[in-house]
Amino acid sequence: MNACMRCGLGLLALLICFSSPSQAQNLTSWTAGPGRLGLGYPVPIPVDTPTPFAGFRSYQGLMTRHFDLANRHDFIRREQIGVTESGQRNIYMYLISDADALTIDHREEGSILINGGIHAREWQSPEVVTGLLELLAERSTDEHLYQYLIENLNVALIPVLNVDGFIQTQRTPAQNYLDSDPDFPLSSPRDGRMRRKNMRQTDELLGTVFDHLSGVDLNRNNPPFHASSASSSFNPDSLIYHGQNGFSEAETLALATAPDLLLPGSSTLTLGDRLRMFVDVHSFTRALFPVNTSNTARNQNQSRLMRVLVDHHRNLPGNKVYGISSGGNSNFGIGTTSEYFANQFQVPSWTLEMEPGNGAGTEYGGFGSNGHDGFILPETEITRVRENMAASLAAAAYWTTGPPSLQSLRIIDVETGALLYTVRNELQPGAEAGARSLLSLTPGALQTNHSYDVELVFDKPMRWLDQQDQIIALPGQSDAGLALTLQLLSAAGQPASVIDLQQDSVQWALQRGYYGAGYANYKTDSVTLGITIPASANNQQQFNGDDPLQVQLVISDMSGHALDRDPGDAVDWQNGDWQRYQPNATSVAGVAIPVRPDSDAQQTFAVTGNMAGTWGSQENSGIGFVIQPLADGRVVIAWATFDEQGGQRWLVGVGTQTGNRIVADNMVLARGASFQDFNPDDVMRTAFAGSLEFVFANCDTGFVQFHGFGQTGVRTDLVNSSRVAGSGCQDQTAELPALAHVSGAWFDPQRDGEGMTIHILPDGRALMFWYSDNNDGEQIWFVGVGLVDQATGSIQFEELNQTSGARFGNDFNPADVLRRNAGQASFTPLCNDGVFDYSFTDPELGSGTLQLVRLTRIVGVPTCTQ
């Protein structure tokens, strides 16, 4: 019981307590000049500003910064996790994450938790944790590391846990008591600037001497080792007093309940369910103090993760070297937060002690007159410490996202641009234990003595970039980690034999694009390698005709994680280790890539005018693509589909054909006009922020994959639904229908912003897609099959069908498609114009007449004269 507890509450008793403390004490100030508390540099003074600067922000300034960032960014979520022991102030945690709990390839996201400001006097800690919050906010659209972290990890930050104590230190930033500490009476400054503990049984007046030793050391107040070591104390006056029991303090209880927070987009997953790292940020000694448990795998991963942070930081400006403690006995502790999280969640967990180091203030030209000046960093150093340690914590966070996996591999013929081989490992929503679907297609065979581009896409950014976007090793990682090795193995050999291969260029994608033209999601998640298979004697022995080859890939991500060998079985974190992880070489299993001598080379299917018609999926009936190759090599594409709410959506654009592929990366959505009162000025045209690629194996089959509308790499197998009379895939000896010349795109110039495609089929019928808007400006489309009236030369569409109900992309279910007869129409064509009459059952659309003119003529169809 201390003097305060023995005194009553009356004024006289308070004066007696004030004048007669249990031990002698001296109210002493830190100074820039010599003295018992002489620093040798200016005494830091907190400033009420939210803006980071070369100095320390007050609590109010920091909180204003936190609130502002949370208000301005949807991906920063502020959560009150408790109140301080005094009951006066809220404790906040900030969760930095996107709107769902899934990674870009549909896996459950991991989580990390970083706690700051547990010891009140360590001002560097709130600045660094705030610095990480600022770094993620400022670089959230970098399309590289920081955007990747936001979209694939839940980063939970508590900038200040000991709010009351922190504010107390900033009230009197130079003053504290000396010569009263029961453990170190001559050297240990207490209360004021040097308060370490929380404010239990303590007022906020420095002049009330009786309570200057009170409070609880929050980093001694945690199970499972609370009150079990001489490094924590039963004495309430001690600097390391552990409190009455574990989690007796409101602050530590708030930290312990923080993992119960539900993750965004999930009604079941919590922060703790997906936790992979905990760090408690302190200052003084420049070291990491990890916690060992009986879980060997967890301990090993902890060592790897800490090494990423330490090596990264050593290679930043300042070259500050951090030591790593051994971690000690797994059955021993002193009641720290890192011990609790290590044992409760079996995750890498450590206390991070930042600058100054063991030299204390002498590192910066200070006197070192009192060892506790190690808690007082000069204002001139905090910008470097804040920015560098935030970057190093981000590097550690990247490691926790896990080993990389290969998303897709494609082999392109450099000469023709044809796609010869493709494989994609795609995690399907709801798949058990992270199982993936292997989607592959081999339209053609490889040839010897021929140049190919191998395009690889990974599920994360793989390489670090300097300020000029040059590929370099992540600070602290070896240049050897930049290596990328691709081999072809012969399946005929026992064991598999290596095929001779010449490898030249390695080009990492730094610009957005798809299908070899850029990165899929983040800079450096895609790379293209140039290869040639020589017609060597070794190769001739290793393969013959259609004998398959296997691709083997050796690569590590920027933090040193080796590529997962089996991308068909997604890696996840559980009980301190990576589950289903098979590191080192990746072999694309179960894949046959035939190689033929150059003389036996077979040409792949070429697009040219062959693909004119409509294409859809047997599984996804109700949506489709209209493809119209033109004589100049361009291809007009219309995409009739649905939006995320089950309404209709359509896009049109122009693609380019290369070999057996069509790529369309300039699709446009047009909407906004009223159907009945159509005004072209009301039409809003929005560029589709994505891309489509069609790959055809022959006249009847192929596939399409797209990136866009928040979905990546969605692939759908296609079959031909209808052909255009006169196009390349039709029987060229067959007689053409009378109106074959009509095939193409048409529109009314008075209604620029809507239009239709009309295809004359080989049997003489006409297939029409009409793309427009309803009276609310929302997109609608209709499809009809017409018959030719030989007497009038017109095409009669007895039914115009309209669909609804299904949802876009991965959520599409053909059972949800609703179809209804919306009306009828007729078209009387001439050569390049014609009259189109329509009548809808919906009175809001009504009936009317359009004066159509031709927009396109499909290559191969006959021309006409007026």
Side-chain angles (χ1 to χ4, degrees):
M1 180 177 295
N2 62 22
C4 170
M5 296 172 68
R6 290 192 297 268
C7 292
L9 299 178
L11 178 60
L12 178 60
L14 182 61
L15 292 173
I16 294 173
C17 282
F18 179 79
S19 60
S20 304
S22 59
Q23 303 182 53
Q25 76 288 317
N26 296 291
L27 193 60
T28 310
S29 296
W30 293 92
T31 63
R36 288 191 68 188
L37 295 181
L39 285 175
Y41 45 80
V43 179
I45 304 297
V47 177
D48 280 326
T49 176
T51 306
F53 73 109
F56 294 90
R57 290 169 279 189
S58 68
Y59 176 73
Q60 185 59 48
L62 289 170
M63 188 169 65
T64 300
R65 179 66 161 162
H66 305 154
F67 276 42
D68 178 62
L69 291 175
N71 291 335
R72 288 196 290 117
H73 298 286
D74 291 340
F75 56 84
I76 300 178
R77 172 179 161 190
R78 183 178 69 245
E79 292 287 339
Q80 180 186 337
I81 58 173
V83 296
T84 59
E85 186 62 32
S86 69
Q88 297 182 49
R89 299 178 179 92
N90 296 330
I91 303 172
Y92 291 105
M93 180 172 72
Y94 297 85
L95 185 65
I96 301 95
S97 178
D98 61 3
D100 61 37
L102 299 176
T103 65
I104 57 168
D105 61 340
H106 310 295
R107 292 178 293 120
E108 292 178 350
E109 293 175 348
S111 303
I112 65 172
L113 175 57
I114 300 176
N115 180 56
I118 192 170
H119 283 158
R121 63 190 177 185
E122 299 167 9
W123 291 4
Q124 294 90 295
S125 173
E127 283 285 348
V128 164
V129 179
T130 300
L132 180 54
L133 179 65
E134 291 168 328
L135 185 61
L136 289 165
E138 292 164 3
R139 302 191 184 181
S140 61
T141 58
D142 71 341
E143 297 182 308
H144 193 228
L145 173 64
Y146 296 98
Q147 184 173 341
Y148 167 75
L149 291 178
I150 292 169
E151 295 175 352
N152 296 273
L153 186 67
N154 299 286
V155 180
L157 304 177
I158 304 174
V160 186
L161 184 69
N162 187 1
V163 180
D164 290 342
F166 182 55
I167 292 174
Q168 179 76 349
T169 67
Q170 293 194 328
R171 282 197 189 93
T172 54
Q175 291 184 302
N176 43 241
Y177 287 100
L178 282 180
D179 303 326
S180 58
D181 189 287
D183 301 316
F184 311 100
L186 296 181
S187 63
S188 183
R190 297 293 297 272
D191 208 15
R193 175 62 181 86
M194 281 292 109
R195 171 164 286 275
R196 168 188 173 103
K197 302 192 287 184
N198 73 351
M199 297 288 285
R200 172 179 280 276
Q201 296 179 336
T202 304
D203 63 31
E204 296 180 347
L205 300 175
L206 186 60
T208 51
V209 183
F210 66 85
D211 59 0
H212 78 279
L213 298 178
S214 299
V216 172
D217 181 352
L218 299 177
N219 209 35
R220 300 295 188 274
N221 188 238
N222 303 269
F225 303 117
H226 174 264
S228 63
S229 166
S231 293
S232 65
S233 175
F234 288 87
N235 180 1
D237 289 346
S238 171
L239 192 66
I240 51 175
Y241 173 52
H242 51 55
Q244 293 183 351
N245 49 62
F247 297 150
S248 66
E249 305 309 291
E251 293 88 354
T252 50
L253 185 61
L255 179 59
T257 57
D260 296 335
L261 177 71
L262 282 173
L263 295 178
S266 176
S267 60
T268 57
L269 290 177
T270 66
L271 181 69
D273 291 335
R274 304 298 299 163
L275 198 63
R276 296 178 181 177
M277 180 183 84
F278 173 79
V279 181
D280 198 17
V281 184
H282 294 246
S283 66
F284 195 11
T285 66
R286 212 166 58 237
L288 278 67
F289 293 93
V291 179
N292 284 339
T293 70
S294 58
N295 185 333
T296 301
R298 189 214 69 94
N299 297 342
Q300 292 173 342
N301 282 312
Q302 179 174 262
S303 296
R304 298 185 186 106
L305 177 52
M306 289 189 302
R307 180 52 58 188
V308 169
L309 185 149
V310 168
D311 290 346
H312 184 275
H313 203 75
R314 186 182 66 248
N315 285 271
L316 297 181
N319 307 113
K320 296 297 182 180
V321 178
Y322 278 67
I324 299 179
S325 168
S326 65
N329 190 320
S330 62
N331 297 314
F332 173 82
I334 61 176
T336 68
T337 61
S338 56
E339 292 163 359
Y340 169 73
F341 279 90
N343 287 277
Q344 180 69 19
F345 295 96
Q346 290 299 316
V347 298
S349 179
W350 65 86
T351 299
L352 170 61
E353 295 280 1
M354 299 186 299
E355 296 181 44
N358 286 324
T362 60
E363 286 194 30
Y364 317 104
F367 300 139
S369 59
N370 183 293
H372 286 70
D373 60 356
F375 296 105
I376 302 181
L377 186 74
E379 292 176 323
T380 55
E381 302 294 326
I382 186 56
T383 297
R384 174 185 55 79
V385 172
R386 179 200 305 122
E387 294 178 354
N388 286 4
M389 188 53 72
S392 295
L393 287 168
Y398 172 84
W399 187 94
T400 69
T401 61
S405 67
L406 185 65
Q407 292 276 65
S408 68
L409 180 150
R410 293 149 53 89
I411 301 178
I412 304 292
D413 187 319
V414 173
E415 180 180 345
T416 66
L419 176 66
L420 301 180
Y421 172 77
T422 178
V423 62
R424 178 177 179 83
N425 287 286
E426 184 171 327
L427 186 68
Q428 300 295 332
E432 294 184 4
R436 297 170 184 253
S437 298
L438 184 69
L439 307 174
S440 63
L441 183 68
T442 309
L446 304 183
Q447 308 171 33
T448 56
N449 293 330
H450 204 70
S451 296
Y452 299 98
D453 281 338
V454 180
E455 300 171 358
L456 306 170
V457 178
F458 303 94
D459 63 347
K460 64 191 303 187
M462 297 290 287
R463 293 292 177 261
W464 182 242
L465 300 172
D466 65 14
Q467 292 182 347
Q468 288 73 44
D469 268 1
Q470 299 298 309
I471 302 287
I472 60 172
L474 183 73
Q477 300 296 313
S478 168
D479 286 344
L482 300 175
L484 168 59
T485 303
L486 183 143
Q487 292 181 323
L488 296 179
L489 304 180
S490 169
Q494 295 294 329
S497 302
V498 178
I499 298 298
D500 292 338
L501 198 67
Q502 295 175 358
Q503 180 176 315
D504 46 37
S505 62
V506 176
Q507 298 292 328
W508 287 95
L510 303 181
Q511 303 296 322
R512 178 168 290 281
Y514 308 100
Y515 322 118
Y519 56 85
N521 296 287
Y522 312 102
K523 294 176 182 177
T524 75
D525 71 2
S526 304
V527 65
T528 299
L529 294 79
I531 65 167
T532 303
I533 305 173
S536 64
N538 174 69
N539 285 352
Q540 296 297 332
Q541 293 176 359
Q542 298 303 324
F543 60 81
N544 180 22
D546 290 333
D547 287 347
L549 299 185
Q550 197 171 61
V551 177
Q552 187 179 78
L553 184 64
V554 179
I555 187 175
S556 297
D557 71 13
M558 68 177 83
S559 68
H561 277 306
L563 191 67
D564 180 30
R565 182 183 299 146
D566 183 8
D569 199 11
V571 175
D572 196 13
W573 175 273
Q574 185 178 0
N575 195 33
D577 200 10
W578 301 110
Q579 306 298 313
R580 302 184 296 275
Y581 179 31
Q582 302 179 49
N584 301 316
T586 285
S587 296
V588 182
V591 171
I593 307 177
V595 178
R596 299 188 178 92
D598 194 54
S599 58
D600 294 337
Q602 296 182 358
Q603 296 295 321
T604 57
F605 181 79
V607 174
T608 62
N610 293 325
M611 314 322 296
T614 58
W615 293 78
S617 167
Q618 291 178 331
E619 292 76 21
N620 292 357
S621 175
I623 59 176
F625 301 90
V626 181
I627 295 179
Q628 300 183 107
L630 308 181
D632 60 4
R634 296 178 301 159
V635 182
V636 176
I637 296 169
W639 183 7
T641 183
F642 298 94
D643 63 21
E644 290 74 14
Q645 289 73 45
Q648 291 185 307
R649 171 187 283 161
W650 55 268
L651 301 90
V652 293
V654 178
T656 57
Q657 56 186 36
T658 306
N660 59 350
R661 298 183 296 148
I662 299 173
V663 176
D665 52 13
N666 64 349
M667 303 289 285
V668 173
L669 293 91
R671 61 162 62 93
S674 168
F675 185 88
Q676 280 197 328
D677 299 315
F678 197 97
N679 184 345
D681 294 337
D682 294 335
V683 177
M684 298 178 293
R685 292 173 173 85
T686 305
F688 171 49
S691 187
L692 291 165
E693 182 190 48
F694 300 84
V695 180
F696 299 99
N698 48 52
C699 283
D700 300 308
T701 62
F703 69 86
V704 62
Q705 61 180 0
F706 72 86
H707 300 263
F709 298 117
Q711 302 190 32
T712 301
V714 179
R715 173 172 157 170
T716 302
D717 291 329
L718 296 177
V719 295
N720 180 259
S721 303
S722 68
R723 303 194 195 285
V724 175
S727 64
C729 282
Q730 186 199 354
D731 181 2
Q732 298 300 304
T733 64
E735 182 177 353
L736 294 176
L739 295 181
H741 65 274
V742 170
S743 294
W746 300 76
F747 87 121
D748 185 334
Q750 300 300 313
R751 297 172 66 93
D752 187 9
E754 71 164 15
M756 60 189 68
T757 57
I758 300 176
H759 288 176
I760 303 301
L761 309 181
D763 63 5
R765 293 179 302 160
L767 177 64
M768 177 194 67
F769 281 83
W770 184 359
Y771 316 100
S772 188
D773 295 328
N774 63 21
N775 288 337
D776 294 324
E778 299 299 323
Q779 290 186 316
I780 55 175
W781 51 269
F782 307 94
V783 60
V785 177
L787 299 176
V788 176
D789 185 331
Q790 299 294 338
T792 63
S794 64
I795 305 170
Q796 302 297 320
F797 299 96
E798 296 296 332
E799 291 187 2
L800 296 180
N801 289 299
Q802 187 176 20
T803 59
S804 63
R807 298 180 184 272
F808 179 75
N810 282 322
D811 296 327
F812 183 86
N813 183 348
D816 295 336
V817 178
L818 303 175
R819 296 173 173 83
R820 71 182 185 90
N821 178 13
Q824 58 186 6
S826 68
F827 179 43
T828 304
L830 296 175
C831 182
N832 293 311
D833 56 13
V835 177
F836 185 90
D837 295 303
Y838 63 87
S839 177
F840 287 105
T841 57
D842 184 349
E844 290 191 2
L845 300 181
S847 59
T849 299
L850 305 180
Q851 302 296 325
L852 299 184
V853 297
R854 180 188 296 277
L855 272 175
T856 65
R857 187 182 299 278
I858 301 172
V859 63
V861 304
T863 60
C864 63
T865 58
Q866 193 72 38

